[in-house]
Amino acid sequence: MSIQTAYSSQASPAEAVADVKKQLGSEPLKLLLFFASTQYDPTVLAKAVNDAFPGTPHLGCTTAGEITSGLMLEKSLVVMAFGTDALADVNIQLVLEPANPAAVMQALMNFEQHFGEPIAALDMDRYVGLVLVDGMGGAEETLMEGLGDATDVLFVGGSAGDDLAFKATWVFSGGLAHSNAAVLAILRPTGRFGFIKTQSFITLPKKLVATQVDEPNRRVLEFDGKPAAVAYAEALSVSVADASKRFMRNPVGLMAGDEPFVRSPQRFDGNAMVFYCNVKEGMELSLLESRDIVEDTTKAIEAKQKELGTFSAIVNFNCILRTLELKAAGQMDAYGKVFAGVPTIGFSTYGEEFLGHINQTATMLVFAR
Amino acid sequence: MPGLVKKMIDAIVLERSKGNVVIANSTRTKLLLKGIDPLKYTPTTEDDAAIIAKVRTAALDFGVRLS
């Protein structure tokens, strides 16, 4: 069966899970990955999945919109089922306090025990990590840094959403729903795999250096020795009042060569700027400007297909800010169609994970035939 | 002694990557995300005690022993 997907927009968790179960059939699974709207009671949904797929390792999280092959959905459940021929091995670990480095370390030690070799020695060409984390807890940076320090295995994933309510998000593991938690998986695919990180921005010449920050609260107090809001507005050559309308179009990027790791402004807090991910003191950030998401994503997928060959599946962690931009531009259908023809699931995230915690990006795990 | 920061960064990248280009690049990106931009430091960059301490901490995080 390799990798299959299914989705359901049935109203209740039990109906939705029964619907996808029927679509997937009864072949044994190595792993079930699922993303769901918070219209489904998380606790009921977690149990329904566990009951419908007994003995199948599974993980998932809540969303701010779901993605499946060819479609951008809302109030739905999307699932990806990995057959026994798709994965040679998988292990899932729940981290109940992802901001606690000791909790992350314990999960890594559990991975070591399962795979029978030190986490630092796991071959990044054979293993890949998935990370789903509470989207409201602000723990992503600590979690990703802990993972990146310990292993070269690349973890890709997203921060759970709650349909833009911004009240509580959930991750799923072992038949239970958890807040303030992360669920990690390390997979050993039988075939080739790769990553796509695409953010659909161009880099403008203007740079801003964070000279005073409140890192734990993701606040930048000063850029270039000036109040952050003033410096950001000056960089855009607009008033501070108008600058707040430019956050989505003009975020900033920490540049790794030509590759931006996007930091998206959330709001002005007086003259400070609050971001959706952290900015460290001394970081030099480039001003970015948005480009066509559909066109850029299509190019990124085509480039990766040339490298890897025909895809057998895509897991897409797409920033909610991109989804909102797509909605505003009337491009939701066009974006969904980018993934038509390839078994795909994904969701609109409250943050993306790829080496670190980033914003306004789509991070994807792709499997090749 | 100018250039110490670059030497330390190069040592971390080499030890961590063992010559694997992909791991070397991801290690440089991880350093960037920790607030240390590897491209900012050259053999002639004046040493800065605060940056040196930051790089030492990063080395410890990565499990790399710097001589």
Side-chain angles (χ1 to χ4, degrees), chain A residues 124-125 145 147-152 254-257 261 263 278 280-284 354-358, chain B residues 16-17 20 22-23 25-37 39-40 54 58 60-63:
Chain A
M124 68 177 302
D125 292 327
E145 192 167 342
L147 296 173
D149 287 346
T151 180
D152 297 316
L254 177 65
M255 301 304 295
F261 283 68
R263 308 2 237 149
N278 79 351
K280 289 180 184 280
E281 203 158 286
M283 275 184 172
E284 183 181 88
F354 186 89
L355 293 174
H357 179 50
I358 48 182
Chain B
R16 187 70 187 228
S17 69
N20 180 313
V22 177
I23 297 176
N25 285 336
S26 65
T27 304
R28 286 190 197 97
T29 303
K30 287 173 186 176
L31 283 166
L32 182 70
L33 290 162
K34 286 176 183 285
I36 301 163
D37 184 350
L39 296 179
K40 266 179 68 177
K54 208 172 180 181
L60 274 177
D61 291 345
F62 282 132

Side-chain angles (χ1 to χ4, degrees), chain A residues 20-297:
Chain A
V20 297
K21 167 92 174 162
K22 189 177 167 188
Q23 294 171 54
L24 292 174
S26 57
E27 284 192 45
L29 302 178
K30 195 80 174 180
L31 175 69
L32 190 81
L33 176 66
F34 65 103
F35 307 128
S37 163
T38 47
Q39 80 143 356
Y40 301 119
D41 180 311
T43 304
V44 176
L45 178 70
K47 185 174 183 310
V49 169
N50 197 52
D51 291 348
F53 298 92
T56 298
H58 58 269
L59 71 160
C61 69
T62 54
T63 70
E66 305 77 44
I67 301 168
T68 191
S69 312
L71 295 170
M72 297 288 281
L73 302 168
E74 289 178 348
K75 299 183 178 176
S76 298
L77 165 69
V78 296
V79 303
M80 180 170 278
F82 295 79
T84 52
D85 55 344
L87 295 178
D89 201 358
V90 61
N91 188 250
I92 297 169
Q93 293 295 325
L94 177 69
V95 182
L96 286 175
E97 291 178 57
N100 177 0
V104 179
M105 187 53 66
Q106 183 59 55
L108 293 168
M109 287 166 63
N110 294 343
F111 281 133
E112 289 189 344
Q113 200 161 33
H114 175 84
F115 290 106
E117 51 184 319
I119 194 80
L122 283 187
D123 182 352
M124 68 177 302
D125 292 327
R126 295 172 66 216
Y127 295 92
V128 59
L130 279 174
V131 51
L132 306 174
V133 55
D134 187 313
M136 298 294 292
E140 292 97 332
E141 287 90 348
T142 311
L143 173 66
M144 291 306 293
E145 192 167 342
L147 296 173
D149 287 346
T151 180
D152 297 316
V153 169
L154 212 153
F155 279 81
V156 60
S159 307
D162 66 349
D163 298 298
L164 295 173
F166 299 109
K167 289 180 180 165
T169 69
W170 305 81
V171 297
F172 302 113
S173 173
L176 297 171
H178 303 271
S179 259
N180 187 29
V183 59
L184 311 174
I186 292 183
L187 286 57
R188 184 151 72 87
T190 53
R192 301 176 73 197
F193 60 90
F195 310 95
I196 294 172
K197 170 181 170 292
T198 182
Q199 50 279 311
S200 312
F201 289 105
I202 58 162
T203 308
L204 300 176
K206 186 70 192 174
K207 295 181 192 314
L208 294 163
V209 177
T211 46
Q212 194 180 348
V213 305
D214 167 14
E215 194 184 324
N217 294 308
R218 296 173 173 169
R219 286 167 80 235
V220 176
L221 306 177
E222 289 184 359
F223 281 124
D224 301 321
K226 296 177 184 175
V230 172
Y232 175 74
E234 282 180 5
L236 289 169
S237 302
V238 299
S239 68
V240 170
D242 285 344
S244 63
K245 299 170 192 156
R246 299 283 288 272
F247 289 163
M248 273 175 58
R249 182 175 148 197
N250 295 110
V252 293
L254 177 65
M255 301 304 295
D258 294 333
E259 184 76 16
F261 283 68
V262 181
R263 308 2 237 149
S264 298
Q266 182 190 64
R267 60 189 162 87
F268 288 143
D269 180 11
N271 275 327
M273 287 179 75
V274 179
F275 285 79
Y276 283 111
C277 64
N278 79 351
V279 173
K280 289 180 184 280
E281 203 158 286
M283 275 184 172
E284 183 181 88
L285 305 169
S286 290
L287 201 60
L288 305 175
E289 186 152 288
S290 63
R291 284 293 178 264
D292 188 296
I293 291 174
V294 174
E295 191 181 317
D296 263 27
T297 307

